[in-house]
Amino acid sequence: MKHFKTWMACLLLGGMTMQSAQAQKEGKKEYPYAFIGVQGGLQSTFTNFTFSNIETPIFAGSVGAMWTPVVGTRVHVSAMNCKGAIKELNETYGYKFVTSDLDLMINLKRIFAPYNEQDINVYLIGGVGLTYAWDNEKVNALAQSSGNRSYSLAWDDDRLVHNFRVGAQFEAALSRVVGLNLEVTANNLSDRFNSKINGKGDWQLQALIGLNFKIGRPGKAKATSGNAIAMQDYNANRNADALAANKQDPSATPKPDPKPVVTPPAPKKLAETKCEIFFDINSSAVRASEEAKLQAFAEWMKQHPSAKAEIMGYADAGTGNPNINRNISQKRADRVAKVLVERYGISADRLTTGYKGDSVQPFKDNDSNRVVIGVAKETK
């Protein structure tokens, strides 16, 4: 019954964390988002016995949320077999445990390399919690058979002790919603957790590998939708240019008049076009899906040799800060101009670049403001 109550308490705490994360999630933003993690690995409690002889397999699960690119929290639960040893008897004994922690997660990669486009994150982990242990019959049997009074410190009832932990987790993204992680933590437990007194807390080392499943993190569908709208706008501009070129100006039609009337030619309409290149969060790399639009933009400029283009970079206001967003919007504009010059042969003196950061948001949809907008116009 006591075991059941402990597991229910862990599940209830995990459910509260998940509900809070889902309640605050905004579908149009990258953060916050919730996650669920599953892990497996090995653990051992440090003692005066051979380390490899008392290591045991464990399993772990977690629920939590990344509230910003740097800060996250989670509830982490690991279980269930542990070993100790009596060196004088050359004997080991086993017992069961479950450890639950409330952890703070700090993404060091987002602090020191916010513009790194590789999907690898390094988290510093610190937490507090409780460890519950039971089924410790063997150590008591060994103590009674040996007659050694020092073993009377072995506990025979279930135990509930504190847990403090520090550690690190390395995560590599397999997709936008799945990450592979390797985690190592050191847990400080109350003395006598391993049935012996040494005047300081017991240390339990855990090494785990697992997967994180992100919930509520936007996929690439929105970016694809924005690309489709941008391509429609581009095609509409081309059609409008073609219609304008073929349409006759009514003012050029001669009016019935007995005297010859010389009508000055209508001023030539200067052609122009526009393209919108969308980017991933914190990225200035031109995605393969955007290349067709850049190529079409360059072809139009080649067909209109007097045209010059303004390349303006933007960043979304939903993430980062004004300084970071100003820098990333400048990098995006410079990258688009570089591709036009080096890949498609547009002369650099026909291009001007600028950046707005997050001070101007061209689109209502937050994610669509990770964009570079190019406008090309004929000059004569």
Side-chain angles (χ1 to χ4, degrees), residues 75-142:
V75 171
H76 188 269
V77 179
S78 57
M80 75 176 334
N81 292 314
C82 199
K83 276 187 179 182
I86 300 176
K87 188 175 182 179
E88 295 83 356
L89 301 177
N90 197 31
E91 291 280 355
T92 63
Y93 53 90
Y95 49 99
K96 293 182 172 60
F97 82 98
V98 58
T99 295
S100 61
D101 287 272
L102 178 61
D103 293 331
L104 176 68
M105 303 177 68
I106 303 297
N107 192 336
L108 299 180
K109 184 259 187 179
R110 292 289 188 174
I111 295 176
F112 297 107
Y115 299 122
N116 191 326
E117 296 172 9
Q118 296 181 353
D119 290 328
I120 297 177
N121 294 301
V122 181
Y123 298 95
L124 181 65
I125 297 173
V128 296
L130 296 173
T131 296
Y132 180 70
W134 69 98
D135 284 357
N136 198 35
E137 289 83 359
K138 184 175 180 180
V139 70
N140 288 282
L142 290 171

Side-chain angles (χ1 to χ4, degrees), residues 43-58 80-86 91-97 134-136 138-139 193-196 202-204:
Q43 72 86 30
S44 182
T45 303
F46 288 101
T47 183
N48 58 353
F49 206 71
T50 305
F51 187 83
S52 60
N53 288 348
I54 58 173
E55 65 184 18
T56 55
I58 59 168
M80 75 176 334
N81 292 314
C82 199
K83 276 187 179 182
I86 300 176
E91 291 280 355
T92 63
Y93 53 90
Y95 49 99
K96 293 182 172 60
F97 82 98
W134 69 98
D135 284 357
N136 198 35
K138 184 175 180 180
V139 70
F193 172 73
N194 62 356
S195 299
K196 294 183 286 186
D202 294 329
W203 282 97
Q204 182 186 66

Side-chain angles (χ1 to χ4, degrees), residues 7 14 25 35 75 85-86 91 118-119 121-122 169 188 208 222 233 235 241 246 260-261 272 282 305 332 360:
W7 281 104
K25 177 169 65 67
F35 64 84
V75 171
I86 300 176
E91 291 280 355
Q118 296 181 353
D119 290 328
N121 294 301
V122 181
Q169 182 185 106
N188 181 266
L208 299 162
K222 292 178 182 175
D233 291 343
N235 291 333
D241 292 341
N246 295 330
V261 176
E272 66 178 76
N282 277 344
R332 288 168 177 165
V360 177

